[in-house]
Amino acid sequence: MGCNDLQFLAPYFRSILYRRGWSENRSRKVIIDVGANSGDDTLSILKSFQPILQMCHPYSIPIQLISVEPSPKVFCEMTDTVSTKLVEEDSRNSLLLNVALSDKTGHLIFADPGNEGGKLIGDNYTTLAKMTPGELESFSHCKYEDGELTDMPIDNERKSAVPTYTLDLLLSSLEEPGLDKVHRDEEIFVVKIDTEGHDYNVLLGAKDLLRRKRITFIIFEVWTNHFVKLIAQYMMQYDYQCFLLTKDTLVPVQERDWWYFHMDNFTSGWWGNGLCGIKGSNDMQLLWRMYHSDNLKLINSMSSLHHDVKPLLSHQITYDL
């Protein structure tokens, strides 16, 4: 992802869960890593929510982590990395899937050089049914034999046909009794998306989850101003407020009240991350206050995002991104 990713935000998210109260704190949370790459984020997420020992009780947050990586080669590297470094309990709390996510289903063509630069490039849209137990078993394991990856070069011409689901279909599949990896109506606390420019399509495939407010926070990658505006407009339909992440500020982006005219230059590209949360929620307000703990004016502005702080934030977006 960009300069600020899920690893950077994990301490804030853990603190938010601790402040919800004991009963809510102890209910399991789902975290979805879309574009998990070689497994570094998978390990980091699990580490961030591990029990803190030598306290009156194991101070931890129960999570179910779902890591999605479409590249068969990179997925195998991820399974190797994760299997050698996870303890048994973490393995039970993580599900690795060699599939893609988009706004349509089918077996889409994936440009698969074998590194983090892979992306969906072609369409072969068909209506996929819910994932079966047999498919889940297949998608959870490396498709290459032992030793095949050792000498496999990076190949910018390589393409793969990848089973592609929407986020709505994937979650409804994992809730089925035969799979039972996610509980029905279980909170999806964070969805992290890093799909080389396909993030907007992934969100388009999550309409039902967004409508039902099942997702608490979404982190996405920013490539161009155009995609920032598309995502902000789309998420507002479901009462989510989006922000650009700088090193010390969450910069609101919303077409009507919180847009910055220099960002209408859609030809300029830059690299960073955005975050969306449920508008007006306690979790979003707490994140805002923690992130701006050294700026009293910003701390007190969250309830209505007062316009008198906009000049400060416009300055931030001009010079920090």
Side-chain angles (χ1 to χ4, degrees):
M1 297 195 77
C3 299
N4 301 299
D5 56 16
L6 182 50
Q7 297 182 37
F8 172 74
L9 290 167
Y12 294 101
F13 291 147
R14 181 168 180 150
S15 296
I16 288 170
L17 291 175
Y18 283 155
R19 283 159 175 77
R20 285 184 173 184
W22 175 252
S23 59
E24 173 63 16
N25 179 323
R26 299 301 299 167
S27 64
R28 191 179 74 164
K29 305 294 181 289
V30 177
I31 297 176
I32 304 177
D33 185 2
V34 185
N37 204 279
S38 59
D40 290 339
D41 270 350
T42 296
L43 295 172
S44 176
I45 293 165
L46 290 169
K47 183 178 180 180
S48 296
F49 291 90
Q50 282 178 346
I52 300 175
L53 303 179
Q54 299 180 339
M55 298 185 69
C56 296
H57 53 79
Y59 206 35
S60 65
I61 308 293
I63 67 166
Q64 170 66 57
L65 174 62
I66 302 170
S67 297
V68 176
E69 173 53 50
S71 166
K73 178 178 183 293
V74 176
F75 179 81
C76 290
E77 294 171 353
M78 177 171 67
T79 57
D80 286 345
T81 300
V82 171
S83 63
T84 57
K85 295 185 179 180
L86 285 190
V87 298
E88 182 178 350
E89 183 176 352
D90 283 338
S91 297
R92 290 196 300 268
N93 295 335
S94 60
L95 174 63
L96 313 182
L97 291 175
N98 186 197
V99 299
L101 293 179
S102 186
D103 55 329
K104 298 182 176 66
T105 64
H107 288 78
L108 275 63
I109 305 303
F110 183 75
D112 186 20
N115 57 20
E116 64 180 16
K119 57 184 176 181
L120 290 171
I121 59 170
D123 56 359
N124 184 16
Y125 299 125
T126 55
T127 301
L128 293 187
K130 288 185 178 181
M131 192 182 296
T132 66
E135 288 171 332
L136 177 66
E137 177 72 15
S138 173
F139 298 155
S140 301
H141 291 87
C142 174
K143 295 176 174 57
Y144 292 106
E145 299 293 334
D146 289 343
E148 274 192 89
L149 292 177
T150 305
D151 299 318
M152 185 176 291
I154 300 298
D155 181 359
N156 291 321
E157 301 301 320
R158 180 167 46 224
K159 297 178 176 60
S160 304
V162 180
T164 304
Y165 291 78
T166 64
L167 196 52
D168 283 338
L169 180 59
L170 176 64
L171 264 293
S172 63
S173 298
L174 297 178
E175 291 172 350
E176 288 296 303
L179 278 63
D180 199 26
K181 295 295 183 181
V182 176
H183 305 150
R184 198 170 299 277
D185 296 325
E186 192 169 28
E187 179 184 3
I188 303 164
F189 187 61
V190 182
V191 175
K192 186 219 85 176
I193 310 173
D194 182 2
T195 56
E196 304 299 314
H198 206 71
D199 299 25
Y200 178 57
N201 300 78
V202 174
L203 290 171
L204 288 177
K207 289 182 172 68
D208 184 60
L209 293 169
L210 295 173
R211 178 182 59 79
R212 295 161 58 197
K213 303 293 188 296
R214 275 190 68 183
I215 303 174
T216 305
F217 292 108
I218 294 164
I219 305 170
F220 60 93
E221 191 172 46
V222 172
W223 285 71
T224 67
N225 297 336
H226 177 60
F227 280 109
V228 173
K229 197 166 193 176
L230 277 179
I231 289 175
Q233 289 172 331
Y234 173 71
M235 296 300 289
M236 276 299 295
Q237 298 177 52
Y238 300 98
D239 293 323
Y240 282 78
Q241 173 71 57
C242 295
F243 304 82
L244 295 174
L245 289 167
T246 75
K247 58 183 174 58
D248 54 12
T249 311
L250 299 177
V251 182
V253 283
Q254 191 239 359
E255 183 182 19
R256 186 183 61 195
D257 297 324
W258 283 94
W259 191 247
Y260 312 89
F261 294 115
H262 61 278
M263 290 185 65
D264 282 324
N265 175 15
F266 287 156
T267 61
S268 63
W270 51 278
W271 189 37
N273 286 327
L275 175 140
C276 302
I278 300 171
K279 187 176 181 181
S281 68
N282 290 335
D283 293 330
M284 189 65 251
Q285 293 191 49
L286 185 54
L287 176 62
W288 176 272
R289 292 188 176 100
M290 287 192 295
Y291 207 90
H292 304 121
S293 58
D294 59 348
N295 189 322
L296 186 60
K297 190 170 187 178
L298 288 180
I299 288 175
N300 294 330
S301 70
M302 180 58 194
S303 59
S304 60
L305 288 176
H306 298 307
H307 289 277
D308 59 353
V309 302
K310 188 170 182 179
L312 170 62
L313 298 182
S314 184
H315 173 89
Q316 192 79 13
I317 200 173
T318 301
Y319 296 106
D320 279 4
L321 295 178

